[in-house]
Structures are given as C-alpha cells and as structure tokens.
Amino acid sequence: MTDALPQGATIGILGGGQLGRMLSVAASRLGFHTHIYDPTANPPAGDVAHLVTTAPYEDNDALFAFASTVDVITYEFENIPTLTLDTLEDHAPIRPGREALRVSQDRLVEKDYLSGLGLRTADYADVPDAAALAIALTKIGAPSILKTRRFGYDGKGQMRIADPADADAAIAGMSDAPAILEGFVDFSHEVSVIAARGLDGAVACFDPGENVHRDGILHTTTVPARLSASQRTDAILIAANILNALDYVGVMGVELFVTPEGLVVNEIAPRVHNSGHWTQNGCVVDQFEQHIRAIAGWPLGDGKRHADVVMENLIGDDMNRVPDLACDPATALHLYGKAEARKGRKMGHINRIVT
Amino acid sequence: MTDALPQGATIGILGGGQLGRMLSVAASRLGFHTHIYDPTANPPAGDVAHLVTTAPYEDNDALFAFASTVDVITYEFENIPTLTLDTLEDHAPIRPGREALRVSQDRLVEKDYLSGLGLRTADYADVPDAAALAIALTKIGAPSILKTRRFGYDGKGQMRIADPADADAAIAGMSDAPAILEGFVDFSHEVSVIAARGLDGAVACFDPGENVHRDGILHTTTVPARLSASQRTDAILIAANILNALDYVGVMGVELFVTPEGLVVNEIAPRVHNSGHWTQNGCVVDQFEQHIRAIAGWPLGDGKRHADVVMENLIGDDMNRVPDLACDPATALHLYGKAEARKGRKMGHINRIVT
C-alpha cells in the first residue's frame, strides 16, 4: 500500500446520483471523506457525503475549488465533458483514466476498440447520415438497431429496425446525432462481469450476474448466472483483457451476450454498474468499496460470493411495494432518497438472498 | 406501516460518534435524511449525514432549531442530560423513550428495575459514602467491584476490591460520586443479545454473541456464542422481558453472564451496541437498520444470521494493522474516519467471516 491514500483523505466524485451515493458510503467505511460535484441541487449522494458542490460541469472556478479539496477524482457516469476533465486533471488524478472515458463515451470508438482487442462484438457500421444507413443495412441487414454514438443509456437514443423500410423513421429518431448501426445478436441471455483493476495492476472479478431488462432498463440481476465453467472463465478473461488494455484503475461493468458461438461483448461502463448492486449483500467487499479501494491504491477484495442473490430495481411506482418488501426477511432494501417517483426513474433496488 | 415515517423524512440523532455514523448510513439505505447533533465539531457521523449541528446539549436555541427539522429523535449514547430531553420532547418523539434512559443512566436504578422484573443480577448495594461501603462489604464481600452509579463506560469509573482492605482506595476512586457495589459473578463467559422492539410491539432478536474484553473494552464478539439451546432461549426471553416492560422502541444491547446457575444480567444499553456490529456482515438487516426501522415505525428485520462472524474492535494502534487486514479476503473493514488514533480510542472494527 505504498501509494495508498491515508485515512482522512478526500475522494472527489463527479455525479451525485445513486451510484455516487453508494460510493460515498463505501468510502466512509474505509475512513475517507467524499466531496460530491453535481449540477443539480440536493443530489441523492449529498445525504451521505462530507461536502457537496452544486455547479455546472462548465464552471471552471467551481471545478478548481472542488479539485483543490480532493486527493483523487472519480465519477459515477461516463459522459463527463472533455473540458471538465481538462480542468480537473491538472489538480488531482482522475481514476479510471481518460482513455477509458474516451473509449466508452462513443459507441463507435468502443466497438472499434473492443474489435481491436480481438473480442467479438455485434456487427456494426458507422452511420453519419441517411445515405450511410442505407449502405449499412445492405451489409448488416435487419433486424438491427440504430443507436446514437453518444449519450444513450437505459434504452434512450435507440431505434429498432425490424425491416429496411423502417430506416427513415430510425434516422429521424437520431435527431441528426451521429449514429451506429448494430446487427442483431441471437443470444440466449445477457450476463455482466463486474471487474476491478488496482493501481498495482491486480485484477479481481465478481461472479458474473445474469441480467433481465424491461423496457430497456435493467430489471433483475441474478447470481450465479447460467454459464458453463468455460463460459465463466471466458467472461472473466474478456473483462481482464479490456482492463489491462486500458491500464484501467477502478471497477468496470462489462455486458456480454451469451450465444452458441461464444460470448459477445455488448458494452462496457467505466464505473460501478447497476448489475453489480447484488455484491452489497453477497460479498465481503462490494463493488462500491472495490472501486474506492482501487482508486485509493488499496488492495482489492477478491470478489468471493458468499450468497446467491437476486437484485431487482425499484423503478417509479415500484416504490409502492416498499411496505411489503420491508416485511420480507430475505430482502435487503437499498433506497436512494429521491423525492419524486417518476415513471422510469430508478428509485432504489432490493437484494433478495436466495437460500 | 400506518405510523411509518415516509421516504425523505428526517431522523435526528443525538451524538455523532461511530454509532451515529453507522445509524446514519442505515437511515440513508431506507431513504431517510439524518441530522446529527453533537457538541464536538466534525464528528465521525458528519461525514455521512445530511445535516450536522455543532452545539452543547444545554443550548436551547440550537436544540429547538434541531428539533424543528426532524420527524423523530434517537440517540447513540444513554447519558443525555434530562434538560436536553425536556426541551426536545415537546417537538418530536424521542425513541427509545425516556423510561429506558432513566433506568439505564443509573446503575442502581437499573439493577433495581431488572431485579423487579424477576431477573437475576449480581448482588449489589447502594454506596453513597464510605460508611455504606463498609456495610455493603459485610453483605456482599470481596472480591467485588465498586462502580459510579452514572457515566461509566469501557471500564471507566470502576474500582476492583480484591480484599476489604482496598475499600478506602476504592471509595477515593469514585471522587465523591454516588456508587454501587456489585458482587463477584463466577461466570464462564459473557454473551449479549441485540434485541429490537417495533412501534407495534413486535420483538426480534439477533443471535447472541460471545464477548471478550481487554482492558475493560470490548475486544471481540463471536457468533454463534457458546450457549445451549435452552440458554439461547433464556437469553432471548430475558431481552424480550426487558423490552416489553419498558414499552421500548428501538434496539437494545443486553449483556449477560453465563453461569452454572443460569444467565445473570450484567447491564443494558438503550441503543445500538458494539457487540452487535457483527450483524453488518452476518444479517440482511443489521442492528443499525433494525434500530432505524423500529424508531421509524417500519417492520423489523427478523434477525436471521447467514454467516458466522468474529467482530474485532480496532483500538488506537490497531490501525497500523489496516494494510494487512485489507488484504484478507474474509475481513470486512469498518473504519470510523477519526483523525487521531489515541490509546484506548475505538477507531474502527472488522467483521471476519468464518467459513
């Protein structure tokens, strides 16, 4: 632990949503302070942080003041403006590093990067405009899916193309944003690996979880996932390959499609990931503490799982189920303290221990 | 959950040490805000609280302002001045209630109360002065232990009397404070029950833990404790008896001596308890969340244990072991973020999962 942050050091977190909130709690367990930076007032993470700055990501004075109070900077989302990073990086190390952000901020760059590592992805093509889409469809065919290259999450910025005749509607749905066409992957199920890499290059992975989505949003993650021993090994090797290539420090979520021909990388997220929330009740060191350990230069937890868990997101009206869920002795509640339960909004999650 | 606090409600906590800190984290998991009140600036709980008030317990204006922001008030220590409670109770419910504080603030009152419930305690006698001590020693004999009636914790305010000749030194050690003489209990080991009672009167207990002390401070708690099935039942019935008698709401720590003649109640603490820290890594709902659930009018967790755990306190220089402890995959770290590692100061604890 030569480069390890000492007790009482301060960790700066860009973004104060539920991920920042749970990172902040984990940091406190290791004796660190946290300073949350978020453009929105009263962010969920503010409830459990030592300091909160409310300012836009373009406010250089606020960024400078923030950076001067912290020993290391991390983030809960990948779409941080480049200029924000330029301002911050002179004052404190940013972990995970900028290469991971550059790669994951753009679906086309990400696919090129993953293919370049020899990993299998969906077929894809760059779609800067309608003409390119027509060409891409002759190559990739339908069904396929058109996605904005940047800023998509939880199914936003995506249009399915069931038939080439849908092309015009799909391109209109991109609102002139650069896009990428992705081929259909005939997968049996999706799994994700929550992987971590320390400052010393050590890699540790949690058991792969099996993900079910509803309306484009993660619904449940179940561990263990349905995987053969060799698939499990392959999933971990893929994740480690990506982390090492990026000289990554921190936790990453790697989504994989399970197909008869092998595992196909869907996407990567350079941060703690919704599909890793089960670790809070299944592991001695959860993904949030694992991330803090990594960016603080501490040894990683080994990722061992001591329980089978089903994680379920509580979205919008699901909050009405909380009184019932609170009565279930096998259910651990994790609520985010958000004031308004809007449709499609992640309000909390539960981890149900399976015995 | 008719009387249940809703999402976004604020829980006021008197005392911002490590217990307040872990209560605050648990409250956040259920979607509550916390407001810490502590006379000392930058208390450990401040790192993970929504609001912090730094003011003396005698500052009525600060108490009033604090109470006006909270929906319910709880505390992390039992020695809250009576006048503080008088001021607060007009503005928000105090849970656990004042009867529990009245009983547990004074060792003599507590012993009388427990005896009145038909529970076994050490032999004891009121010792207002040296003359009373002489009489008490003829009744109780030596070895015995003289303790201040109020404000003792972690072995402070206690003098052992190995021989009646020690009486003068012992009474001098009380510095004129009212005292109580307690007879020697020939016990094989000490266990504690972390018990909870909800607003609806439901009671739930965690598995008894076995405690080992060093220099008067808790060193380790091990679950399961060495108890026969009937001793285990007895321990839980004793705890439930006390909770029901006090019409208690919240978590209580009940320390018991195991003797050949049965369980002897050592003392009770009307709050979350150091010997219950193991629940953080052994239960779906830990003692901190259990306490928040109780005082918020939520259903209690059932206390089921999913792992064997050894909790060990990190005191003073034990913090030098953190780099090694961080490498042990079975060890969960819980550090309190205290700036200075003074001798005898509780700096953190570990929960080691036993497999």
Side-chain angles (χ1 to χ4, degrees), chain A residues 203-220:
Chain A
V203 170
C205 294
F206 294 102
D207 268 4
E210 181 169 335
N211 302 325
V212 173
H213 293 80
R214 265 194 200 166
D215 303 325
I217 304 177
L218 184 66
H219 173 52
T220 59

Side-chain angles (χ1 to χ4, degrees), chain B residues 146-193:
Chain B
L146 192 65
K147 300 179 177 178
T148 54
R149 284 174 54 176
R150 296 174 62 95
F151 301 119
Y153 68 96
D154 285 350
K156 295 182 174 78
Q158 305 195 1
M159 298 290 285
R160 283 177 189 280
I161 300 181
D163 183 281
D166 301 338
D168 288 351
I171 203 83
M174 298 297 104
S175 310
D176 293 326
I180 175 176
L181 185 69
E182 295 185 9
F184 179 73
V185 177
D186 189 13
F187 63 96
S188 55
H189 52 294
E190 183 198 292
V191 301
S192 54
V193 177

Side-chain angles (χ1 to χ4, degrees), chain B residues 106-343:
Chain B
D106 184 312
R107 291 180 193 281
L108 181 64
V109 176
E110 182 177 310
K111 286 274 192 299
D112 285 343
Y113 190 85
L114 296 169
S115 306
L117 294 178
L119 302 176
R120 192 174 300 162
T121 70
D123 291 336
Y124 66 96
D126 185 12
V127 178
D129 51 33
L133 178 57
I135 298 167
L137 277 169
T138 62
K139 189 180 107 189
I140 292 170
S144 52
I145 186 160
L146 192 65
K147 300 179 177 178
T148 54
R149 284 174 54 176
R150 296 174 62 95
F151 301 119
Y153 68 96
D154 285 350
K156 295 182 174 78
Q158 305 195 1
M159 298 290 285
R160 283 177 189 280
I161 300 181
D163 183 281
D166 301 338
D168 288 351
I171 203 83
M174 298 297 104
S175 310
D176 293 326
I180 175 176
L181 185 69
E182 295 185 9
F184 179 73
V185 177
D186 189 13
F187 63 96
S188 55
H189 52 294
E190 183 198 292
V191 301
S192 54
V193 177
I194 307 299
R197 189 166 176 275
L199 206 53
D200 59 356
V203 170
C205 294
F206 294 103
D207 267 4
E210 181 170 335
N211 303 327
V212 174
H213 293 80
R214 266 194 199 166
D215 305 326
I217 304 176
L218 183 65
H219 173 51
T220 58
T221 298
T222 301
V223 282
R226 285 172 298 161
L227 289 174
S228 67
S230 65
Q231 284 172 326
R232 201 170 296 271
T233 303
D234 202 26
I236 286 164
L237 290 176
I238 288 170
N241 188 344
I242 299 168
L243 294 180
N244 287 330
L246 290 168
D247 194 19
Y248 194 82
V249 176
V251 161
M252 172 180 278
V254 180
E255 293 180 4
L256 302 164
F257 293 133
V258 182
T259 81
E261 292 75 37
L263 299 175
V264 174
V265 184
N266 179 28
E267 62 179 34
I268 62 173
R271 52 170 169 79
V272 288
H273 196 255
N274 195 165
S275 68
H277 291 0
W278 67 268
T279 58
Q280 293 174 309
N281 295 93
C283 301
V284 167
V285 173
D286 68 20
Q287 68 162 346
F288 302 99
E289 182 174 329
Q290 189 79 309
H291 186 74
I292 297 295
R293 282 174 173 238
I295 66 166
W298 281 40
L300 300 180
D302 72 350
K304 189 182 166 199
R305 182 171 58 80
H306 61 63
D308 293 355
V309 184
V310 180
M311 188 288 303
E312 180 182 343
N313 273 329
L314 301 179
I315 315 264
D317 286 347
D318 285 341
M319 287 299 283
N320 298 333
R321 294 165 49 208
V322 166
D324 284 340
L325 293 168
C327 294
D328 176 7
T331 293
L333 284 162
H334 298 269
L335 307 180
Y336 305 153
K338 295 181 182 176
E340 201 189 339
R342 288 196 297 271
K343 186 168 150 51

Side-chain angles (χ1 to χ4, degrees), chain A residues 21 28-29 47 50 335, chain B residues 21 28-29 47 50 326 335:
Chain A
R21 177 177 170 102
S28 82
R29 271 205 308 271
D47 287 351
H50 189 66
L335 307 180
Chain B
R21 178 178 169 100
S28 81
R29 271 204 306 272
D47 287 349
H50 189 65
L335 307 180

Side-chain angles (χ1 to χ4, degrees), chain A residues 106-111 147-149 152 158 180 267:
Chain A
D106 184 313
R107 289 181 195 280
L108 182 63
V109 175
E110 182 176 311
K111 286 275 193 299
K147 300 178 177 180
T148 54
R149 284 175 53 177
Q158 306 194 0
I180 176 176
E267 63 180 32

Side-chain angles (χ1 to χ4, degrees), chain A residues 5-6 8-12 67 69-73 91-93 95:
Chain A
L5 283 192
T10 299
I11 293 173
T69 68
V70 305
D71 297 286
V72 63
I73 295 169
H91 305 290
R95 296 174 189 154

Side-chain angles (χ1 to χ4, degrees), chain A:
Chain A
M1 291 176 65
T2 328
D3 300 320
L5 283 192
Q7 291 290 295
T10 299
I11 293 173
I13 303 176
L14 300 172
Q18 62 267 20
L19 301 182
R21 177 177 170 102
M22 293 183 280
L23 284 169
S24 194
V25 166
S28 82
R29 271 205 308 271
L30 299 183
F32 299 125
H33 300 297
T34 53
H35 186 161
I36 301 292
Y37 192 107
D38 198 296
T40 308
N42 298 315
D47 287 351
V48 287
H50 189 66
L51 293 170
V52 181
T53 294
T54 306
Y57 288 117
E58 296 75 23
D59 183 336
N60 275 328
D61 290 343
L63 290 170
F64 180 82
F66 166 77
S68 67
T69 68
V70 305
D71 297 286
V72 63
I73 295 169
T74 191
Y75 42 86
E76 62 152 16
F77 72 114
E78 53 269 43
N79 292 314
I80 302 157
T82 300
L83 288 172
T84 303
L85 300 167
D86 291 342
T87 302
L88 292 172
E89 74 177 354
D90 291 339
H91 305 290
I94 300 173
R95 296 174 189 154
R98 296 193 60 171
E99 178 68 353
L101 285 168
R102 184 188 71 79
V103 166
S104 61
Q105 283 182 345
D106 184 313
R107 289 181 195 280
L108 182 63
V109 175
E110 182 176 311
K111 286 275 193 299
D112 285 342
Y113 190 86
L114 296 169
S115 305
L117 294 178
L119 302 175
R120 192 175 298 162
T121 70
D123 291 336
Y124 65 96
D126 184 14
V127 178
D129 52 32
L133 178 56
I135 297 165
L137 277 169
T138 61
K139 190 180 108 191
I140 293 170
S144 51
I145 186 159
L146 191 66
K147 300 178 177 180
T148 54
R149 284 175 53 177
R150 296 174 62 96
F151 302 118
Y153 68 95
D154 286 351
K156 295 184 174 75
Q158 306 194 0
M159 297 291 283
R160 284 177 188 278
I161 300 181
D163 183 281
D166 300 340
D168 287 350
I171 203 84
M174 297 298 104
S175 309
D176 293 326
I180 176 176
L181 185 69
E182 295 185 9
F184 179 73
V185 177
D186 189 13
F187 63 96
S188 56
H189 51 296
E190 183 198 291
V191 300
S192 55
V193 178
I194 308 300
R197 190 166 175 274
L199 207 52
D200 59 356
V203 170
C205 294
F206 294 102
D207 268 4
E210 181 169 335
N211 302 325
V212 173
H213 293 80
R214 265 194 200 166
D215 303 325
I217 304 177
L218 184 66
H219 173 52
T220 59
T221 299
T222 301
V223 281
R226 286 172 297 161
L227 290 174
S228 67
S230 65
Q231 284 172 326
R232 200 171 296 270
T233 303
D234 201 26
I236 286 165
L237 290 176
I238 288 170
N241 187 345
I242 299 169
L243 293 180
N244 287 329
L246 289 168
D247 194 19
Y248 193 83
V249 175
V251 160
M252 173 181 277
V254 180
E255 294 180 5
L256 301 164
F257 294 133
V258 182
T259 79
E261 292 75 37
L263 299 175
V264 174
V265 184
N266 179 26
E267 63 180 32
I268 63 174
R271 52 170 170 79
V272 289
H273 195 255
N274 196 164
S275 69
H277 291 359
W278 67 268
T279 59
Q280 292 174 310
N281 296 91
C283 302
V284 168
V285 173
D286 68 19
Q287 69 161 347
F288 302 100
E289 182 174 329
Q290 188 79 313
H291 186 75
I292 297 295
R293 283 174 173 238
I295 65 166
W298 281 39
L300 300 180
D302 73 349
K304 191 182 164 197
R305 182 171 58 80
H306 62 62
D308 293 354
V309 183
V310 179
M311 188 289 304
E312 181 182 342
N313 274 328
L314 302 178
I315 315 262
D317 286 349
D318 285 341
M319 287 300 284
N320 298 334
R321 294 164 50 206
V322 166
D324 285 339
L325 293 168
C327 294
D328 175 7
T331 293
L333 285 163
H334 299 269
L335 307 180
Y336 306 152
K338 295 180 183 176
E340 200 190 339
R342 288 195 297 270
K343 184 169 153 52
R345 192 179 199 199
K346 291 177 179 171
M347 302 298 294
H349 66 274
I350 55 170
N351 286 328
R352 192 173 284 129
I353 308 296
V354 182
T355 48

